[in-house]
Amino acid sequence: MFYGQGESIVLQRDVEAVRVPDGEPVKLHKDEIVTIYQALGGSYTVLTEDGTMARISAGDADALGKEPPLIPDLKEGTDPETVKHNVWQVLKTIYDPEIPVNIVDLGLVYHVRVTPIEEGKNRVEIVMTLTAPGCGMGPVIQQDVEMAVKNLPGVEEVQVEVVFDPPWSRDMMTEAAKLQLGMI
């Protein structure tokens, strides 16, 4: 589902964004008109008047006059089991800027490990892949994962490893993702 798709908005402040699909930083300026192409997981993929497609992170939603969404199904606590549950929940809020499916349902996340460091503090290791090795948005998605997980209670350290073995294929997608993309 595309929330706000086609909605034109005047930016309320300057905002740093990432150009899609090459992942290059771009600055969008206050009073510039953008049209929301995709709004999922709190981030916004927008089109500028000059035809540039850019992704604005959830933390900058206010530049669009929006509020970042709350993450559903988070549990309270900092024990490893609770943290692992919360990591999976937050990963479901991260989307490829060009595909309206979260990275979990796309089958991009291979492994999540939570290791206690000390009381109430954990190290989270995530092994994931991308839909294509040369994906320009890969570093942006990796950074989104690191930032989102780092902000969870009980998380002290985050390591995200991007691998290409095994290579991603459409077979790794959930049935729901395939249905959403019209592949069933």
Side-chain angles (χ1 to χ4, degrees):
M1 176 185 288
F2 294 101
Y3 299 101
Q5 179 182 11
E7 178 183 2
S8 292
I9 293 178
V10 176
L11 291 175
Q12 297 181 7
R13 63 174 176 83
D14 288 354
V15 62
E16 297 294 328
V18 177
R19 191 171 56 215
V20 177
D22 63 13
E24 290 296 316
V26 62
K27 187 171 191 171
L28 304 178
H29 300 282
K30 180 180 180 183
D31 298 327
E32 187 173 347
I33 298 172
V34 298
T35 302
I36 296 176
Y37 172 76
Q38 176 174 287
L40 295 166
S43 66
Y44 296 84
T45 303
V46 299
L47 292 172
T48 65
E49 289 184 306
D50 70 3
T52 300
M53 183 179 280
R55 188 183 145 288
I56 298 173
S57 71
D60 288 318
D62 65 300
L64 294 163
K66 305 287 185 183
E67 296 280 332
L70 296 175
I71 300 169
D73 302 321
L74 289 183
K75 294 181 179 179
E76 289 189 33
T78 58
D79 62 279
E81 186 175 316
T82 300
V83 170
K84 187 172 187 175
H85 167 84
N86 290 344
V87 167
W88 281 106
Q89 294 305 97
V90 79
L91 292 176
K92 290 177 184 177
T93 69
I94 299 170
Y95 287 75
D96 182 303
E98 298 174 288
I99 305 171
V101 177
N102 70 66
I103 64 172
V104 172
D105 287 341
L106 273 175
L108 299 180
V109 181
Y110 291 161
H111 181 75
V112 172
R113 179 182 312 171
V114 178
T115 307
I117 298 173
E118 58 184 82
E119 184 67 33
K121 295 182 180 181
N122 299 281
R123 173 181 174 81
V124 177
E125 299 169 42
I126 299 168
V127 178
M128 63 176 289
T129 194
L130 303 170
T131 56
C135 176
M137 294 302 291
V140 175
I141 295 169
Q142 181 178 3
Q143 182 181 23
D144 286 351
V145 169
E146 289 173 3
M147 289 176 53
V149 172
K150 179 74 172 161
N151 287 328
L152 287 171
V155 176
E156 184 71 18
E157 299 174 13
V158 179
Q159 178 186 350
V160 179
E161 181 182 5
V162 177
V163 300
F164 296 103
D165 187 25
W168 180 83
S169 74
R170 292 178 179 190
D171 294 336
M172 296 173 166
M173 295 169 56
T174 64
E175 294 300 313
K178 290 175 184 175
L179 183 63
Q180 186 175 354
L181 295 174
M183 299 171 74
I184 295 180

